[in-house]
Amino acid sequence: MAVSVVINNLVKTFGETRAVDHISLTIDPGELFFLLGPSGCGKTTLLRCIAGFHQPESGSIHMGEQEVTRLQPHQRDTGMVFQSYALWPHMTVTQNVAFGLEMRKVGKAETAKRVAEALALVRMSDRADYKPNQLSGGQQQRVALARALVIHPKCLLLDEPLSNLDAKLRLEMRTEIRRICKESGLTAIYVTHDQKEALSVADRLAVLNGGIVEQCGTPEDVYLRPQSVFAAGFIGETNFLDGTVKKILGDRLLVSTQEGDWESKHGLGSYEVGDEVSVSLRPETLHIGDASAGQPNVVEGIVHDTVYLGEVAQHQVRLGGDNGKNVKVFDLNPRIIARNAPQKATIWVDAQDVVVLPRGKA
Ligand code: ATP
């Protein structure tokens, strides 16, 4: 039975470093939840507090109805998967997967049944008699998953499980991990610094920065409606322009920047005229070429560099003259290629794609 995991006001410090700084999160039963952030943001520390390997100074952790904050790791019913697969080299796949059940004194017949089920779930039944050194990295990680799942944990914890795999296998295993979590119906908490992994696999994610949660939401929420410069810059690519709120026009804000004036449908009600803000413009939302009549957010620029990739061109476009900034523009099915000489171009963007954020650090 999947359980919720509720983290309330959790604090964990190491000397002067507050690795987890009053974090509160609610993870729903059966949810595949990601903790995402740059190196040192506290994601592993938070996961280890949930597993019971670290004791927090304050705050609480509940799994379902049960408070587990002060319980030992083996009393929590969590299965953990590490970056290094941590398989026993002298044991076969079956023996590795059965190990946790033997420790728990589960009977032989029940162990055999559960090992067979776990190996089938990770599609490793045909490798049951192999030793770890006869398996590829991806296969070893499948065995590590089976070993975590076989004990029927309340919650599966995954710490950068794909970091040791090459790029192609990582892509394949992303989909596999999602399938396995969903088929087993478990609540899973997954730590990564790889935003593509989080965007493509998570039900919801929390972006961590300096021990705090910058933003929590579905991948689309965080990508399309970031709430801070840090979240916008960490997830995906974006262009930031410094600006000032110039007017409030009914359902839109008008922000003035050195690079032009921008109408935005984001952030209404959050800002007043005169506020200093950052405007975030994703490269794929900027269009190059003629805009239709009446389109707001049309500015003139100079395309001075283009990387042509066939289906898409990545342009560097200077806006706002010599004092302005370069913005990156992704142009699908490109027609304008500035390989040799700078070219004038018109850039435009829909008001719903102009995101206004409090001025901050990316
Ligand atoms: P990475 O992606 O590099 O693993 P992370 O986001 O998982 O980073 P943590 O490992 O949780 O970050 O570390 C958060 C902060 O706590 C860092 O400043 C780190 O140096 C510190 N820290 C973590 N573990 C310890 C420890 N055992 N002793 C002292 N400081 C620690």
Side-chain angles (χ1 to χ4, degrees):
M1 254 281 283
V3 295
S4 61
V5 177
V6 179
I7 296 155
N8 189 24
N9 227 2
L10 206 73
V11 176
K12 174 68 194 166
T13 54
F14 298 105
E16 298 288 285
T17 308
R18 193 170 280 177
V20 173
D21 191 358
H22 296 93
I23 286 186
S24 295
L25 287 169
T26 297
I27 298 153
D28 294 329
E31 192 170 32
L32 178 45
F33 191 91
F34 271 58
L35 300 172
L36 176 68
S39 183
C41 70
K43 52 196 187 294
T44 301
T45 304
L46 178 57
L47 194 78
R48 292 179 73 83
C49 288
I50 300 169
F53 298 126
H54 286 323
Q55 281 291 314
E57 278 82 36
S58 61
S60 65
I61 304 169
H62 283 77
M63 289 185 186
E65 298 294 301
Q66 188 185 23
E67 174 161 11
V68 299
T69 323
R70 308 278 156 214
L71 295 186
Q72 291 300 308
H74 68 272
Q75 297 171 311
R76 298 189 182 204
D77 279 343
T78 52
M80 186 118 182
V81 178
F82 301 93
Q83 178 177 338
S84 63
Y85 324 116
L87 300 176
W88 298 106
H90 60 287
M91 290 186 188
T92 64
V93 165
T94 296
Q95 289 164 340
N96 264 286
V97 176
F99 187 74
L101 296 178
E102 282 159 14
M103 292 288 101
R104 286 170 170 75
K105 309 264 184 276
V106 175
K108 272 209 169 124
E110 175 69 10
T111 298
K113 179 173 158 269
R114 278 162 68 170
V115 169
E117 278 169 8
L119 288 181
L121 184 61
V122 302
R123 299 189 174 149
M124 285 293 290
S125 307
D126 59 342
R127 297 285 192 277
D129 298 325
Y130 283 49
K131 295 266 178 67
N133 68 1
Q134 297 172 304
L135 301 174
S136 70
Q139 290 169 337
Q140 290 184 54
Q141 198 52 294
R142 284 172 193 265
V143 178
L145 266 163
R147 190 183 47 183
L149 293 168
V150 80
I151 60 165
H152 293 174
K154 282 187 184 155
C155 174
L156 184 64
L157 305 175
L158 303 119
D159 190 2
E160 305 252 9
L162 305 183
S163 299
N164 280 349
L165 305 180
D166 66 39
K168 189 166 167 278
L169 250 183
R170 266 209 306 269
L171 282 181
E172 190 186 309
M173 281 302 286
R174 266 185 203 172
T175 326
E176 272 299 273
I177 288 191
R178 185 166 168 90
R179 177 189 67 76
I180 291 163
C181 288
K182 291 295 153 194
E183 280 184 19
S184 65
L186 278 176
T187 311
I189 307 177
Y190 186 129
V191 160
T192 185
H193 61 270
D194 182 335
Q195 37 114 358
K196 288 265 161 64
E197 209 166 290
L199 286 176
S200 60
V201 179
D203 290 325
R204 279 192 311 145
L205 55 91
V207 180
L208 268 56
N209 179 25
I212 64 157
V213 175
E214 284 270 339
Q215 191 168 352
C216 178
T218 62
E220 310 84 88
D221 251 346
V222 181
Y223 188 81
L224 297 173
R225 290 172 288 280
Q227 285 164 6
S228 67
V229 164
F230 181 87
F234 189 75
I235 306 251
E237 279 195 70
T238 195
N239 301 290
F240 290 116
L241 304 175
D242 287 345
T244 309
V245 176
K246 192 169 159 183
K247 269 189 201 158
I248 296 171
L249 311 158
D251 67 340
R252 292 158 192 234
L253 289 178
L254 182 68
V255 177
S256 130
T257 70
Q258 170 67 37
E259 293 76 16
D261 284 359
W262 308 93
E263 279 188 25
S264 167
K265 287 190 173 172
H266 290 257
L268 214 69
S270 306
Y271 303 99
E272 292 177 1
V273 171
D275 281 354
E276 295 203 326
V277 293
S278 291
V279 173
S280 165
L281 302 168
R282 300 259 187 222
E284 71 277 16
T285 65
L286 293 171
H287 303 285
I288 196 161
D290 293 337
S292 53
Q295 166 73 41
N297 303 328
V298 181
V299 293
E300 299 303 318
I302 307 281
V303 183
H304 62 85
D305 192 22
T306 294
V307 178
Y308 180 65
L309 297 169
E311 83 280 18
V312 64
Q314 301 181 352
H315 304 293
Q316 289 290 336
V317 184
R318 166 71 52 148
L319 301 182
D322 290 345
N323 295 327
K325 263 188 160 177
N326 282 341
V327 291
K328 197 180 225 186
V329 178
F330 293 163
D331 186 15
L332 261 181
N333 192 16
R335 294 280 177 267
I336 296 169
I337 312 298
R339 272 197 216 280
N340 303 315
Q343 291 182 37
K344 282 189 181 173
T346 303
I347 302 293
W348 56 277
V349 56
D350 278 333
Q352 66 181 359
D353 293 323
V354 177
V355 177
V356 180
L357 299 165
R359 198 72 74 79
K361 260 179 54 188

